[in-house]
Amino acid sequence: MRDSQFSWKFKSFKKDKTTCIFCSVLCAALFIIFLKLFSPSVQRFFLSQYHLKNDNFCLWALGHLLPSMYNYANEVWYSDAPFDETSPLGLAPYAHKWVNHYPLHVVTFGLYREGLFSTPKEYFFYLRSRYKKSEVTSVYHLVPQDNKLYLELIK
Amino acid sequence: MDRKRFNFFILRVVTAFWLLGWFIKLEFFNPYLTGHIVRYQIVHELFPPFFLNSFVAQIAYFLPFVIFILIFFLKRIIFKFISIVMVACSLLLCWHADTYNDATFVTSFWVGLWVLWFSWHLNREDNDFYYHASLLSKLILSLVFLGGFAGKLTPEYWQGEAPYELFFQQNHQGIFAVLKQRLSLEEQLFLAKMIGRMITGTEGLLSLAVFLPSRFVYAVVPFVGAVMVIFRTWAIISVLACLVGLSLGCYFMIKRMEQDA
């Protein structure tokens, strides 16, 4: 059987609804990712998604299922002093880091969280993610208290 | 091997690689999920309490252990159950506040959906079954690699700034640790730029998987996976193993189709 025939036998999909639905879902997902290349509003949606900035969890959850490994230019600045609201630069002392994806994972994932509790005080995280001409910045206030780490989105 | 047994063989191959990816980081996830996230809970207003609960993450991560036993039973209903566990656990960990970041659970979710579809259609005798299975798997591969490719088209990645930081600055083991000691800063920056472009190019090519010859796609994906494991980090097995399993399963399927034809 030739490969071209193998790949393009769409017509038989009509026979089975579940196959048809699965295929449609995958095509829709591909289309949304494709839109990301051109549409600034789609870009901003996914950049906000990376900062956990969505108002609606369901929307965030749906968007999260679209694969996005090592996406965008994500940077994190962190300090125990508040950041200027417009830029993290010029503040001292702070640390800077490039992050592959979901910049807030620096504290929500892995063993780093424990370190924040070892010297209980507050922390400030400035996140910046850029993609083409779109940019999203966020400032988080982190408060370790009673074995809970409160992540408050300031901006 | 009759067709029904062969279909179970395909399911076993894909499921076995899915399990490999899921549990390859057990040494990290075990203390993390059973101790760390219990002692230090995070509170974020986006996540509902259910997805902040550490017990939910523990159940979702460890439940697939049952698949190690169930995989030996060649029953359609068992594989339906296995695939539901795969999809449900992946979804829970995709959306959980303590695990959402790990891309393992996103690729596991899509491959789990494919296994669910395959298990549901296990008794199909029509010739189009394998056509559909292969097309769906190539759509999944296209989706995963387009997701990676689209996001990397940034000046920071293309010019090597981000790859330099990720590969050389933050990587303290493997081949990049050795290279860091032996190469000058300029050479490291140049190499990071080239590697970044190679990764972007490969992902761009594989994002077209649905249009490419099946044999080529199913041979290239395991190769790319192996290269990334050798040059980047072994931990990436968790993300890629299920895709490699899907490719191998479909590769065997194509061979079988050609023999039958």
Side-chain angles (χ1 to χ4, degrees):
Chain A
M1 193 66 67
R2 281 186 20 240
D3 197 76
S4 56
Q5 288 173 295
F6 196 86
S7 299
W8 293 105
K9 219 159 178 187
F10 279 116
K11 60 179 181 188
S12 59
F13 270 48
K14 290 174 189 167
K15 288 181 200 165
D16 186 81
K17 269 189 187 170
T18 51
T19 309
C20 207
I21 291 168
F22 192 11
C23 190
S24 306
V25 168
L26 286 166
C27 289
L30 275 163
F31 180 67
I32 294 169
I33 295 180
F34 193 68
L35 278 182
K36 198 159 76 174
L37 289 167
F38 307 104
S39 163
S41 55
V42 175
Q43 289 164 9
R44 276 195 299 276
F45 171 81
F46 283 103
L47 290 169
S48 300
Q49 164 117 356
Y50 260 39
H51 291 201
L52 308 181
K53 264 183 135 172
N54 307 53
D55 298 326
N56 187 326
F57 176 77
C58 296
L59 213 56
W60 177 86
L62 278 177
H64 185 63
L65 294 178
L66 298 177
S68 59
M69 290 83 79
Y70 300 94
N71 266 213
Y72 318 128
N74 305 298
E75 291 168 275
V76 179
W77 288 263
Y78 44 105
S79 170
D80 52 9
F83 286 112
D84 183 299
E85 283 212 357
T86 51
S87 167
L89 306 174
L91 283 167
Y94 65 83
H96 170 262
K97 198 173 178 180
W98 282 95
V99 187
N100 49 22
H101 50 200
Y102 281 98
L104 205 58
H105 89 258
V106 174
V107 284
T108 61
F109 188 71
L111 306 176
Y112 179 81
R113 209 184 298 174
E114 191 171 5
L116 299 178
F117 285 88
S118 59
T119 51
K121 54 182 176 181
E122 54 184 14
Y123 298 88
F124 293 86
F125 272 63
Y126 185 98
L127 316 174
R128 182 172 74 182
S129 294
R130 285 174 291 168
Y131 185 67
K132 296 184 183 265
K133 287 179 182 169
S134 304
E135 178 177 309
V136 170
T137 56
S138 309
V139 180
Y140 270 94
H141 180 207
L142 273 61
V143 186
Q145 199 175 64
D146 302 330
N147 283 354
K148 285 189 175 169
L149 180 63
Y150 294 88
L151 289 92
E152 297 164 8
L153 182 65
I154 299 175
K155 183 197 152 215
Chain B
M1 202 188 303
D2 66 48
R3 185 156 168 159
K4 199 175 170 186
R5 283 187 80 84
F6 180 75
N7 288 347
F8 277 117
F9 166 72
I10 299 290
L11 275 177
R12 278 176 164 175
V13 169
V14 181
T15 307
F17 274 86
W18 188 95
L19 286 170
L20 172 70
W22 191 268
F23 288 115
I24 192 87
K25 292 198 287 196
L26 183 66
E27 201 180 342
F28 161 74
F29 273 115
N30 186 27
Y32 176 63
L33 295 176
T34 57
H36 196 77
I37 68 167
V38 181
R39 283 195 301 276
Y40 310 108
Q41 293 175 25
I42 56 171
V43 180
H44 191 295
E45 63 177 7
L46 174 70
F47 295 93
F50 181 77
F51 289 108
L52 290 167
N53 190 328
S54 53
F55 186 62
V56 172
Q58 289 163 6
I59 292 286
Y61 185 73
F62 293 109
L63 186 62
F65 262 120
V66 300
I67 300 175
F68 281 111
I69 300 163
L70 296 177
I71 202 170
F72 290 101
F73 297 93
L74 296 182
K75 291 236 182 271
R76 191 176 164 215
I77 185 119
I78 298 280
F79 269 91
K80 277 185 180 176
F81 176 74
I82 286 174
S83 59
I84 289 170
V85 168
M86 289 161 82
V87 173
C89 292
S90 310
L91 269 181
L92 286 174
L93 293 182
C94 270
W95 295 337
H96 198 280
D98 292 304
T99 50
Y100 73 90
N101 161 78
D102 198 325
T104 302
F105 308 118
V106 177
T107 53
S108 296
F109 164 72
W110 288 106
V111 174
L113 266 188
W114 186 91
V115 174
L116 180 68
W117 174 86
F118 200 93
S119 310
W120 234 261
H121 292 79
L122 210 58
N123 288 349
R124 262 174 68 172
E125 294 285 340
D126 61 291
N127 289 330
D128 292 334
F129 178 43
Y130 290 160
Y131 293 129
H132 295 169
S134 178
L135 182 55
L136 289 170
S137 78
K138 287 207 288 185
L139 277 168
I140 290 171
L141 293 172
S142 282
L143 179 68
V144 171
F145 287 106
L146 182 66
F149 170 70
K152 285 189 185 67
L153 296 177
T154 63
E156 291 81 1
Y157 207 90
W158 193 250
Q159 294 304 328
E161 197 181 348
Y164 170 72
E165 176 87 14
L166 295 169
F167 294 136
F168 286 98
Q169 293 293 91
Q170 295 176 18
N171 207 348
H172 305 296
Q173 54 185 344
I175 200 160
F176 286 100
V178 178
L179 287 172
K180 198 158 63 178
Q181 290 176 335
R182 297 196 176 181
L183 299 178
S184 68
L185 182 64
E186 285 77 26
E187 288 169 331
Q188 288 177 37
L189 284 166
F190 178 76
L191 191 62
K193 186 161 83 175
M194 288 300 119
I195 290 169
R197 289 182 182 187
M198 245 163 53
I199 292 172
T200 312
T202 308
E203 289 192 339
L205 175 72
L206 288 173
S207 68
L208 299 170
V210 70
F211 302 111
L212 297 172
S214 304
R215 266 177 181 269
F216 172 77
V217 172
Y218 300 141
V220 164
V221 171
F223 175 74
V224 168
V227 169
M228 286 176 89
V229 169
I230 293 166
F231 289 100
R232 181 75 174 91
T233 165
W234 65 269
I236 207 160
I237 293 174
S238 71
V239 178
L240 295 174
C242 60
L243 300 174
V244 170
L246 184 66
S247 301
L248 288 176
C250 289
Y251 182 81
F252 294 135
M253 218 166 58
I254 291 175
K255 281 192 81 172
R256 167 82 183 218
M257 279 216 58
E258 286 172 351
Q259 282 169 7
D260 289 352

